[in-house]
Amino acid sequence: MCGIVCYVGNSKAKPLLIEGLKRLEYRGYDSSGIAVQDTGRMDYYRAVGKIVELEKRINGLEINGTTGIAHTRWATHGEPTEKNAHPHRDMEEKIYVIHNGIIENYQSIKKRLEKKGVIFRSDTDTEVIAHLVAENFTGNLNEAVRKAMSQIEGTFGIAVLHKDIPGQIVVARRGSPLIIGLGEDGNFAASDVSAMVRHTKNVIHLNDNELATITKDDVSISTLQATAIKREAERVEWSAEDVELDGFPHYMLKEIFEQPETIKNAMRGRLDKGEGVPRLGGIIPVWDKLKECRHIVIIACGTSYYSGCVGRYVFEKLTEIDVQVELASEFRYRKLNFPPNTFIISMSQSGETADTLAAMREARRKGAHLLGIVNVVDSSIARETDAGIYNHAGPEIGVASTKIFISQLTILTLLAILLGRHQNLSLTEGVEAIRAMEALPDQVQSILSKANHIEAIAAKYHDKSNWLFLGRKYQFPIAMEGALKLKEISYIHAEGYAAGEMKHGPIALINPQMPTVAIAPKDSLYDKMISNIQEIKSRRGPIIGIGTEGDTALKEMVDDFIEIPQTLDFLYPILTVVPCQLLAYYCALMLKRDIDRPRNLAKSVTVE
Ligand code: M6R
């Protein structure tokens, strides 16, 4: 959840580290810090709040060193205060450590060290690493970090700097991402490529239980047992522009407007229109087993979970496969009992979500096959699955996930059509589905072109403190996703409900102060939705209807109407979610929220 960036080279480290931190800020942003090595001293500064606070603190200071580490924090152990911000130091103030993850046995280590006289300055789990490295240091930093690693349990990506060892950074990983960037003018390390993509596209991924010593001219990787590892650099495809705002006021809005392209990217090269069969190269290694599979479990968290919920209905419609969708955080603690040849599909934008990874590993232990639908190439989930499909959506920076949701729906639908075509789905149905999918980018574009109308609706309702989102079948998960979007960025309380459940409780909430977003495209459950809308109307609840173009009956029934183009029942979610995203965005904008960095959240949830 936190962000790590390091540099060792010929240039001044300070501006490179601050720039990197800003690109990582979406991962965590309650405090930050920097340690830059200079001859015989360490320039060490920390600040509470966003990176700009750290910047203010060091502005104008002479920090000329060319080796440094920096961190942006999302608090787990200890409040977001300056003393808890990273880097953390040992007692002699020689060893500086930044850390992403959680040290599970930090309390027992801390007790042992305190008995030896070590004085702790923070409430964090991280600080034990600095003292452990110091305890094991006899002149070789890599060796000291390796020895410290063997004593700590939990997850970490760490970077360590020693005041008296110039031009050297030691990094290590277990469970939290750590990527090394090979630049022309020096080398980088970071928890996310976006922190260094402006300076290098040649990267080396560190695996679990590996560490590396980085200098300006060299990177040497080794295992926990000190065995040297040779690993070639890979090229990342993301450009610096991909991680820029490109004229949009927020990443979230940029990413919402990228969605037509996101759908195209998810489908590019993957459609065989003549045969009505998608081609998904990433699943070839498991295809023989997958095509026989009759039980799939989708595991994910948050928005990725809701796309899995839509996926269940799509698979039900197009295939003969039973699909179960599970929140990874719950699933990992369940007693698992799968039929033979069960496939797990782990869905994750970041590919680093701790709960999803842990749930996958548990399923693996029970004999399931693992597939991934992941955006970040070479992320932990991507590497631990047997096969998978990449979103190819480029970086998603806004904490509120938008374009990845649409991309996940697109890919799940492609997979369902592919499996369906090997079961009972006819050629005509396959061709019809693919044709309808090809129309989606333009259809999403046409919804985006009405953003002003949605903004005006947000202006009318953004001051209401409680909202309800309703849908049925394919639209039920969209109701939940719409509510999640609104609450996470605007802090308005919102609930997503299956419209059929209204009478079982939630209808008691309806009053003129509580807007309902009723998602009612012309699909198989349209008439049922209309009855639910009538029930709300008769209790004087204001209704924002999301419906199909030309549906004048719905338009007249609701207070505000947002039109979406017509498509097949199972593709409507890809269209109906867009107005929900825009409503959330504009409400948050009007409430002056920090849209890309909502409070208490982080983009990549790498702790349980
Ligand atoms: O990276 P992942 O897709 O695994 O992340 C899962 C959730 O943490 C994520 O979707 C979260 O719910 C977003 N903030 C929702 O907008």
Side-chain angles (χ1 to χ4, degrees):
M1 320 263 297
C2 309
I4 286 177
V5 58
C6 316
Y7 172 75
V8 44
N10 297 317
S11 307
K12 285 187 185 175
K14 174 176 123 177
L16 293 168
L17 295 176
I18 293 294
E19 182 204 323
L21 280 184
K22 284 185 177 164
R23 300 204 183 281
L24 291 176
E25 203 172 22
Y26 69 94
R27 292 178 68 99
Y29 32 78
D30 55 44
S31 55
S32 58
I34 188 169
V36 177
Q37 207 182 49
D38 209 338
T39 335
R41 66 161 208 271
M42 195 71 93
D43 290 315
Y44 174 53
Y45 298 94
R46 297 179 294 174
V48 174
K50 305 232 162 83
I51 311 301
V52 64
E53 300 305 323
L54 179 66
E55 241 183 329
K56 280 187 213 156
R57 170 82 48 97
I58 60 178
N59 244 350
L61 297 179
E62 282 281 314
I63 300 178
N64 297 323
T66 62
T67 303
I69 59 177
H71 185 267
T72 172
R73 177 169 187 251
W74 185 86
T76 55
H77 294 72
E79 294 192 355
T81 54
E82 188 167 325
K83 75 167 181 181
N84 289 332
H86 303 210
H88 289 285
R89 295 158 293 169
D90 69 321
M91 289 239 298
E92 285 187 54
E93 304 189 5
K94 294 210 173 225
I95 289 160
Y96 291 72
V97 175
I98 53 177
H99 165 223
N100 182 7
I102 289 181
I103 306 302
E104 283 162 8
N105 60 339
Y106 83 100
Q107 269 163 328
S108 59
I109 298 174
K110 187 171 175 179
K111 255 191 216 143
R112 181 181 68 74
L113 291 170
E114 275 174 338
K115 270 194 200 141
K116 276 180 73 180
V118 172
I119 295 164
F120 280 75
R121 301 182 178 95
S122 76
D123 310 316
T124 65
D125 52 340
T126 303
E127 193 182 341
V128 298
I129 307 174
H131 298 300
L132 274 182
V133 173
E135 188 180 45
N136 288 287
F137 184 75
T138 53
N140 182 329
L141 188 60
N142 185 294
E143 187 184 280
V145 172
R146 193 155 36 79
K147 288 187 175 157
M149 272 176 85
S150 64
Q151 295 172 60
I152 51 186
E153 288 164 17
T155 54
F156 52 85
I158 53 174
V160 187
L161 196 57
H162 195 295
K163 190 173 135 201
D164 301 334
I165 306 182
Q168 187 188 98
I169 299 170
V170 175
V171 295
R173 157 186 176 146
R174 183 183 299 153
S176 287
L178 210 302
I179 302 146
I180 298 164
L182 309 179
E184 292 200 344
D185 198 33
N187 293 322
F188 293 80
S191 47
D192 189 318
V193 281
S194 57
M196 52 198 181
V197 78
R198 284 199 138 264
H199 305 282
T200 176
K201 291 192 171 183
N202 296 324
V203 302
I204 299 176
H205 289 265
L206 217 56
N207 289 332
D208 280 347
N209 292 314
E210 289 179 354
L211 56 168
T213 299
I214 309 175
T215 65
K216 70 184 165 80
D217 312 305
D218 187 52
V219 172
S220 52
I221 305 175
S222 58
T223 65
L224 204 49
Q225 290 72 37
T227 311
I229 294 176
K230 275 246 155 300
R231 186 164 302 142
E232 292 300 311
E234 295 163 45
R235 236 182 125 65
V236 280
E237 296 309 327
W238 294 357
S239 67
E241 289 65 44
D242 286 336
V243 286
E244 298 288 342
L245 271 169
D246 207 14
F248 283 90
H250 297 99
Y251 283 110
M252 180 179 177
L253 193 64
K254 176 186 177 228
E255 286 156 7
I256 291 173
F257 273 80
E258 273 170 18
Q259 291 180 119
E261 205 49 36
T262 306
I263 301 172
K264 287 185 199 161
N265 289 341
M267 297 196 297
R268 185 159 290 127
R270 291 175 168 167
L271 303 181
D272 181 341
K273 291 181 226 167
E275 292 296 316
V277 183
R279 283 188 296 255
L280 298 170
I283 58 170
I284 290 172
V286 295
W287 177 242
D288 286 343
K289 291 196 180 104
L290 184 60
K291 69 176 190 241
E292 303 302 332
C293 143
R294 290 295 175 272
H295 191 76
I296 287 178
V297 186
I298 300 177
I299 52 175
C301 300
T303 289
S304 297
Y305 168 74
Y306 293 136
S307 70
C309 295
V310 176
R312 171 174 46 201
Y313 292 112
V314 178
F315 270 77
E316 232 168 61
K317 165 91 181 161
L318 303 177
T319 74
E320 309 295 308
I321 301 171
D322 277 342
V323 177
Q324 193 184 328
V325 192
E326 301 281 348
L327 286 167
S329 52
E330 290 292 314
F331 180 81
R332 62 185 289 194
Y333 296 111
R334 297 259 303 279
K335 187 160 181 268
L336 307 176
N337 192 9
F338 310 126
N341 203 28
T342 292
F343 269 78
I344 300 289
I345 302 183
S346 307
M347 286 214 302
S348 176
Q349 187 288 127
S350 59
E352 302 292 348
T353 301
D355 283 319
T356 309
L357 261 168
M360 275 166 59
R361 289 172 183 157
E362 194 51 34
R364 161 84 82 209
R365 251 173 244 130
K366 301 288 186 292
H369 308 295
L370 302 183
L371 268 188
I373 297 179
V374 173
N375 188 39
V376 177
V377 174
D378 255 333
S379 54
S380 303
I381 293 180
R383 289 194 283 159
E384 288 196 28
T385 43
D386 302 317
I389 307 163
Y390 280 122
N391 294 97
H392 296 312
E396 188 181 65
I397 307 284
V399 164
S401 183
T402 51
K403 65 176 179 173
I404 294 305
F405 182 77
I406 276 202
S407 177
Q408 288 168 337
L409 294 187
T410 308
I411 287 174
L412 282 170
T413 309
L414 292 177
L415 185 60
I417 300 172
L418 173 63
L419 289 165
R421 289 286 289 117
H422 285 270
Q423 298 168 354
N424 282 342
L425 199 69
S426 69
L427 171 66
T428 324
E429 288 167 316
V431 170
E432 186 196 23
I434 286 182
R435 277 213 191 113
M437 289 187 80
E438 283 185 308
L440 289 169
D442 285 346
Q443 293 181 319
V444 169
Q445 191 59 55
S446 82
I447 301 170
L448 294 172
S449 69
K450 293 176 202 137
N452 288 347
H453 171 58
I454 298 172
E455 186 175 2
I457 297 175
K460 198 166 152 191
Y461 297 104
H462 71 279
D463 59 345
K464 305 289 178 213
S465 359
N466 296 291
W467 290 47
L468 199 59
F469 286 72
L470 294 182
R472 278 173 177 264
K473 196 172 176 180
Y474 302 108
Q475 304 305 328
F476 168 36
I478 300 303
M480 293 192 287
E481 169 62 6
L484 174 63
K485 283 293 85 91
L486 188 65
K487 64 186 136 192
E488 74 178 320
I489 58 162
S490 71
Y491 319 146
I492 294 173
H493 170 241
E495 290 199 51
Y497 251 95
E501 278 291 292
M502 284 298 281
K503 291 192 197 66
H504 302 287
I507 201 160
L509 292 169
I510 299 298
N511 68 33
Q513 294 311 312
M514 180 158 185
T516 295
V517 179
I519 311 169
K522 284 243 169 158
D523 62 11
S524 58
L525 289 176
Y526 172 77
D527 292 339
K528 303 274 179 209
M529 263 312 282
I530 294 297
S531 307
N532 296 127
I533 292 171
Q534 294 285 15
E535 287 156 9
I536 296 164
K537 199 173 156 68
S538 52
R539 283 156 185 87
R540 299 183 32 244
I543 303 167
I544 302 162
I546 300 178
T548 307
E549 277 167 356
D551 186 351
T552 44
L554 178 62
K555 189 171 179 179
E556 278 164 22
M557 199 179 300
V558 298
D559 298 271
D560 294 278
F561 185 58
I562 304 171
E563 280 187 341
I564 51 144
Q566 191 177 2
T567 185
L568 301 175
D569 278 22
F570 60 88
L571 296 179
Y572 268 125
I574 294 179
L575 303 181
T576 52
V577 74
V578 180
C580 296
Q581 297 167 339
L582 286 169
L583 270 175
Y585 174 80
Y586 288 119
C587 284
L589 189 70
M590 286 159 201
L591 292 168
K592 301 195 170 23
R593 305 300 191 217
D594 193 347
I595 292 179
D596 287 330
R597 286 175 290 265
R599 70 184 178 205
N600 305 337
L601 290 175
K603 182 68 181 162
S604 186
V605 186
T606 51
V607 292
E608 183 180 349

